[in-house]
Amino acid sequence: MARKTVNIELNRVEGDLEFQVDLEGDRVADARCIGTLFRGFEQLLIGRAPKDALVITPRVCGICGTAHLFTTALALERMNDVPVPAHATIIRNLCLMAENVQSDIRQTFLFFAPDLLNPRYADHALAPALEKAFKPLQGSVVLSALDVSRTLVEIVAIFGGQWPHSTYMIPGGVTRPATVSDIIDCREIVDKAVRWFEKEVVGDSLDNWLSLDTAERFLEWVDEPAHRDTALGLFTRFARDQGLHTYGAGTDQFLSAGAHYDPVEWQAPYGEQRTLLAGGVYDGATHKIEAFRPELITEHVRHSWYRPYPDGRHPFEGETVPDYQPESDRYSWAKAPRYDDRVVETGPLAELLTGGDALIVDLLKKEGANTWLRQFARLRRASVLLDLMRAQLKALSQELNNPHYLAPADGSLDDGDGFGFVQAARGTLGHWVQVRNGEITRYQIVTPTAWNASPKDSAGRHGHWEQSVIGLPLTDIDNPIEISHVVRSHDPCLVCTVHFVGAGKKVRYGV
């Protein structure tokens, strides 16, 4: 069957990416996810003092700098089991939660929701209500989401002095302790966010919303008058009416390293992850969870523009040496991370599956992974984190007289191997560091988007995003909004351009 070439530009995403698919008839036959920009942060770190990474890695991303800072601190601490007091772990957790909630809110209402106003849906019965709520920079929900998300990151500024790109987490703790005034200010911010979520997003109390534990209960609840016209109600009723719960699955393996460290259990010597939301690999076919084992992570470069090596390498054996080969079958600056040789999805959906959210687990069992569920899980996670933030603030109030920093022993950062993981806004983030004679000799970063948006690996297995669109039928190839829904449901941290490649015709569309 003849193939057509169509280019689709996706705005409202972070970073630089092209997405290239082959179309046969009205169906996607193949896909290539292309990272178009080499940044080389790992190379920048080689030869530097270990603490330099605390300043450099938060610059990896303007959205999740807190996540990178946290992960760097964990990796340096793990090198020689530098102890961290509970006081510091709670502050770190609060700041990461604030960053993730603001990202979940903005991604949903500023990046994903505008596609619900696509011209294809202009005659839908919900179109006027969707426009009133989600019209870019004018909709009622959009404007209130901007306000509350901006306020949330003030929590990071309270403890870190600024957001983004702050450097207040250091090996052994944080740079200053919390005060009573800090806790009062943070409580006010969290309470404001909870009130907004209850009024605008769910139309119910946070406790009632979080108590929903089955697909049946949720679908009855969302159709009740108090909930059907809220932001979640409009999104759910419209998205499911358009079938977003029937496509965009991708892999059925879901990875989370565990979210937010237990301030009591996370103590040196560091072994398994001790987190408030459990990690692991959730198998979407058997619905069983495997323990998370960092030693099973590898990175492949067979289809990436890096100096070739066979199969996959663990990050402690990895390298990031650019080798641009535009005329070869390599097509991305992204590597292909694999877990135990498996393609995995990471993000809020994976985080809530391994964390045991009963509603998300039941929805997955009933309908499988899909575009709507992935975006729905992002809003669900925001509410879970708001609830956890309240608990963390209460715990922090009990730590005010305890140390926020324990000075590392002399020489503890001079030699060693360390690694750290956090659940960033888009999923599992890992850093690996090796230090010899006071200098970094190797630094490897595996980002959430690398897991989701990887190219093919050494065995020819497509990455998760690629899998999630292969086989997808398009209603209108001149307005392929289905691909936009699928890609944006992953909260891509790259500017996406989607290409349809084939014989002859090349057209470019903006959606």
Side-chain angles (χ1 to χ4, degrees):
M1 181 178 292
R3 294 188 175 188
K4 295 182 179 178
T5 302
V6 183
N7 294 340
I8 305 171
E9 291 184 347
L10 286 170
N11 52 20
R12 305 193 310 276
V13 293
E14 307 290 340
D16 296 271
L17 181 80
E18 293 183 357
F19 202 69
Q20 185 177 82
V21 299
D22 297 346
L23 186 67
E24 292 182 352
D26 64 353
R27 191 172 296 270
V28 177
D30 199 2
R32 289 167 291 282
C33 195
I34 306 169
T36 61
L37 178 65
F38 174 70
R39 304 186 73 200
F41 267 82
E42 290 107 329
Q43 299 297 85
L44 286 174
L45 289 160
I46 293 175
R48 291 184 174 273
K51 287 184 180 177
D52 284 1
L54 299 165
V55 179
I56 294 173
T57 63
R59 272 75 180 173
V60 170
C61 180
I63 298 296
C64 48
T66 302
H68 282 281
L69 174 63
F70 198 163
T71 316
T72 296
L74 291 167
L76 295 176
E77 287 161 354
R78 192 185 276 267
M79 286 199 316
N80 288 294
D81 288 323
V82 173
V84 179
H87 188 146
T89 297
I90 295 170
I91 290 176
R92 294 175 177 186
N93 284 343
L94 275 171
C95 293
L96 182 58
M97 290 173 184
E99 183 173 88
N100 285 0
V101 174
Q102 69 83 26
S103 181
D104 288 345
I105 292 171
R106 291 182 181 179
Q107 193 279 336
T108 299
F109 298 118
L110 276 64
F111 290 9
F112 185 90
D115 281 340
L116 307 183
L117 310 181
N118 187 274
R120 184 193 298 179
Y121 307 134
D123 295 330
H124 194 280
L126 288 177
L130 291 169
E131 180 162 347
K132 183 179 179 182
F134 302 138
K135 187 175 182 179
L137 301 180
Q138 297 183 43
S140 58
V141 176
V142 171
L143 293 176
S144 61
L146 276 169
D147 176 56
V148 76
S149 61
R150 181 171 54 239
T151 305
L152 273 165
V153 291
E154 290 178 8
I155 290 176
V156 184
I158 286 173
F159 294 108
Q162 66 177 55
W163 182 91
H165 309 321
S166 353
T167 301
Y168 56 99
M169 301 181 198
I170 52 178
V174 292
T175 52
R176 78 165 183 84
T179 65
V180 172
S181 177
D182 293 337
I183 293 175
I184 292 172
D185 290 344
C186 289
R187 279 179 177 162
E188 184 178 337
I189 293 169
V190 174
D191 286 347
K192 175 183 176 179
V194 170
R195 289 194 299 272
W196 172 81
F197 194 91
E198 290 177 336
K199 178 184 176 184
E200 297 286 349
V201 181
V202 294
D204 206 339
S205 71
L206 199 64
D207 290 342
N208 284 345
W209 155 247
L210 290 174
S211 72
L212 296 173
D213 57 0
T214 66
E216 289 76 11
R217 283 191 63 196
F218 166 70
L219 292 174
E220 291 173 2
W221 174 92
V222 80
D223 209 31
E224 293 173 1
H227 314 132
R228 57 188 289 110
D229 293 324
T230 61
L232 181 72
L234 288 171
F235 156 64
T236 294
R237 291 193 295 135
F238 179 79
R240 293 179 68 85
D241 183 67
Q242 294 300 313
L244 270 68
H245 62 303
T246 63
Y247 64 80
T251 180
D252 62 359
Q253 304 292 302
F254 302 91
L255 172 71
S256 167
H260 310 292
Y261 286 84
D262 185 317
V264 176
E265 297 291 329
W266 183 245
Q267 299 291 335
Y270 302 112
E272 296 178 359
Q273 298 284 95
R274 301 292 185 184
T275 52
L276 299 175
L277 294 178
V281 178
Y282 188 99
D283 189 318
T286 65
H287 300 288
K288 295 181 179 179
I289 302 175
E290 302 172 26
F292 174 61
R293 296 174 57 190
E295 67 271 22
L296 298 182
I297 295 173
T298 56
E299 290 185 292
H300 296 243
V301 297
R302 169 60 186 84
H303 291 275
S304 308
W305 289 313
Y306 292 101
R307 185 168 67 188
Y309 56 75
D311 302 321
R313 286 185 179 180
H314 187 273
F316 273 146
E317 300 172 343
E319 61 179 28
T320 307
V321 181
D323 184 13
Y324 186 49
Q325 303 172 49
E327 304 304 321
S328 70
D329 61 354
R330 300 170 187 271
Y331 60 91
S332 178
W333 286 111
K335 297 180 183 176
R338 296 292 183 262
Y339 182 89
D340 194 23
D341 259 352
R342 282 173 277 173
V343 177
V344 300
E345 173 181 353
T346 190
L349 177 57
E351 188 173 313
L352 295 183
L353 287 171
T354 63
D357 187 288
L359 175 58
I360 296 297
V361 170
D362 195 50
L363 284 165
L364 186 87
K365 288 181 178 178
K366 298 284 174 50
E367 299 180 337
N370 58 72
T371 303
W372 168 78
L373 179 59
R374 190 174 295 116
Q375 192 64 40
F376 175 82
R378 185 162 289 108
L379 281 177
R380 180 76 170 181
R381 179 179 69 171
S383 63
V384 170
L385 293 185
L386 286 171
D387 198 41
L388 281 175
M389 290 174 80
R390 285 174 159 176
Q392 290 289 280
L393 282 169
K394 185 176 181 181
L396 186 57
S397 68
Q398 305 300 313
E399 295 290 335
L400 295 180
N401 295 322
N402 293 325
H404 64 285
Y405 172 68
L406 300 172
D410 290 344
S412 58
L413 301 180
D414 289 346
D415 282 279
D417 296 353
F419 62 90
F421 294 95
V422 302
Q423 284 300 113
R426 297 171 179 83
T428 300
L429 169 67
H431 286 205
W432 288 259
V433 62
Q434 292 177 321
V435 178
R436 301 291 182 268
N437 300 316
E439 291 186 356
I440 294 173
T441 57
R442 190 192 307 268
Y443 205 104
Q444 293 293 306
I445 300 172
V446 179
T447 65
T449 299
W451 284 108
N452 290 332
S454 75
K456 289 191 288 187
D457 58 27
S458 302
R461 291 168 296 207
H462 285 281
H464 166 62
W465 282 9
E466 295 173 342
Q467 292 187 18
S468 68
V469 300
I470 292 175
L472 179 67
L474 304 177
T475 301
D476 179 2
I477 63 172
D478 292 328
N479 182 14
I481 191 65
E482 293 89 348
I483 290 180
S484 178
H485 291 322
V486 174
V487 173
R488 287 211 177 91
S489 73
H490 291 91
D491 188 7
C493 189
L494 296 158
V495 173
C496 296
T497 301
V498 182
H499 303 268
F500 288 56
V501 176
K505 182 181 178 185
K506 177 177 273 188
V507 187
R508 197 172 190 87
Y509 296 94
V511 293

